[in-house]
Amino acid sequence: MPILDVEMVCPPGEGVPQGMSVAIADAAAGVFGTPPGQTWVRLHGLSLDCYAENGGGGDPGVQPVFVHVLKATLSPEPDLEKEVSALAAAIALVCNRPVENVHIVYDPPLVGRIAFGGRLRKGGEGV
């Protein structure tokens, strides 16, 4: 059960569009090959007023999307490279952003570190 924590930089005074979290969840599920209800997304908007790059950064119109991916286990590097490329492209399409503005971080594997309903998930159980 992949969990994505997504932070989307938005123009000042605007939030994330209605239905965006569902669209990201569906796009990510297509990449991960997960059945309905098994890919979770937490989506947060970040005003462009609260985003900066040192030295003035790049184009002032750049509105990146930051994604943290939590999974039970991580795929071997060649498979992970394909997955991250497909995930970045899918999220870029849904968010209407250039793929080079989608930044993805895979957190360490969750097996033995995450609990649902007070029950620790162990090896062999999906997360």
Side-chain angles (χ1 to χ4, degrees), residues 24-68:
I24 292 171
D26 289 343
V31 171
F32 297 130
T34 51
Q38 297 300 305
T39 297
W40 299 358
V41 170
R42 296 180 301 190
L43 177 60
H44 313 275
L46 176 68
S47 173
L48 189 56
D49 292 335
C50 297
Y51 173 76
E53 296 179 10
N54 71 312
D59 181 347
V62 170
Q63 298 168 16
V65 178
F66 299 96
V67 182
H68 279 260

Side-chain angles (χ1 to χ4, degrees), residues 97-121:
R97 305 289 166 89
V99 71
E100 60 268 14
N101 291 342
V102 176
H103 310 299
I104 301 174
V105 175
Y106 278 75
D107 287 353
L110 295 177
V111 168
R113 299 185 327 111
I114 192 167
F116 294 105
R119 188 173 148 251
L120 186 65
R121 294 296 170 114

Side-chain angles (χ1 to χ4, degrees), residues 55-80:
D59 181 347
V62 170
Q63 298 168 16
V65 178
F66 299 96
V67 182
H68 279 260
V69 178
L70 302 115
K71 292 175 66 178
T73 59
L74 298 182
S75 303
E77 191 171 323
D79 295 332
L80 189 60

